[in-house]
Amino acid sequence: MSDPSAENSDVRLQQLREAIDETDSALLNLLQRRKQLAAEVGVVKRSLGQPLYVPERETRLLAARRDEARAVGLSPDLIEDVLRRVIRESYQQQQAADVHLQDKTIVVVGGKGALGGLFVERFREAGATVHCLDQDDWEQAESYCQAADLVLVSVPIATTEAVISNLPELPKHCILADVTSVKQQPLQAMLNHHDGPVVGLHPMFGPQVATLAKQLIVVTEGRQPQDYQWLLDTLSRWGAQLYTTTATQHDEAMGFIQVMRHLSTFVYGAHLAEERADLQQLLDLSSPIYRLELMMVGRLFAQNADLYADIILAHPENFAMLRRYLATFDECLGTLEKGDKSKFVEKFAEVSAYFGEFSQKFLEDSQRLLASADDAHQLSQVARR
């Protein structure tokens, strides 16, 4: 004999699930409406020449929605996570043709490469006449450059200075710029070669990005900033965030941001390979944070080895710093081998004091990343079953 209460519960469960499905459908309709509005916003922004990404606007929007979430008993973090994902989609949608460089002729040296190709595409979408200048068509260099408003150098680090020195004479008004991850030597090479406006750029992203919105581009000033301002305005218009610094300060920071990180990641991956660690087992048994770290290691080895070798080798002045890093590692390992817990805790407190308020901020920010990584891991696990 069946249990009536169980049957009633089953019916109620089905009713609730159907109500949830209807609510989800309503959410889809709202998101579609928001998508349409975002597209209209993009059209108006382009007509006004306004940037794709306005940090102040996004900050105010998220703060207001968080307050509203609290008022109705929802998690502010949940609402922010959802909105950030929706907003990111909106930026990609708004990255439509923004025609405002119709009167510009641009030469991208290395335009057939991945990063150079990204800028070729963006400049052409903006209406500019764009020429790609690569090794196999260098005989066109003079004809391409004689009427150029911008020559952008996007070639491997090891050849950047030589390529700059081999450029033909450029028009006085022409901007000479590069997108190399090293700045002091290329910037000086450009200043030596060209008497007109010069600026060094370092896009802190790879060519895979779908939009330049929120992407950081470091700017190192060279000469005649008033004459290359239109280029910076275009980058801002596309949503990029510009950070201006000196070439020296840039290269010093890259010693930590790129050289130390890339080499550490490479060595960690090399050690896993030498130990023949079972990567799938590591993923299956790991916490979200270790999975994220392992993904960042694996990500390195999915990319161009020459690029990372050039980045590290272009900064030989950082080798001494890397030796100090090894010495610190060896010192900490020695402390632990001796079983000296108190000394380790003392060092931990010292480093914690150095990080200060950044520690708590990094903890909060990383929690959001870990939640996303954990969701992705669960989906992959389901797909494997």
Side-chain angles (χ1 to χ4, degrees), residues 305-316:
D306 287 331
L307 171 64
Y308 289 101
D310 285 347
I311 289 174
I312 295 170
L313 291 171
H315 292 276

Side-chain angles (χ1 to χ4, degrees), residues 116-135:
L118 174 67
F119 283 98
V120 167
E121 182 180 355
R122 291 289 177 269
F123 284 129
R124 283 179 175 162
E125 287 176 349
T129 299
V130 183
H131 300 293
C132 293
L133 184 58
D134 287 87
Q135 187 175 10

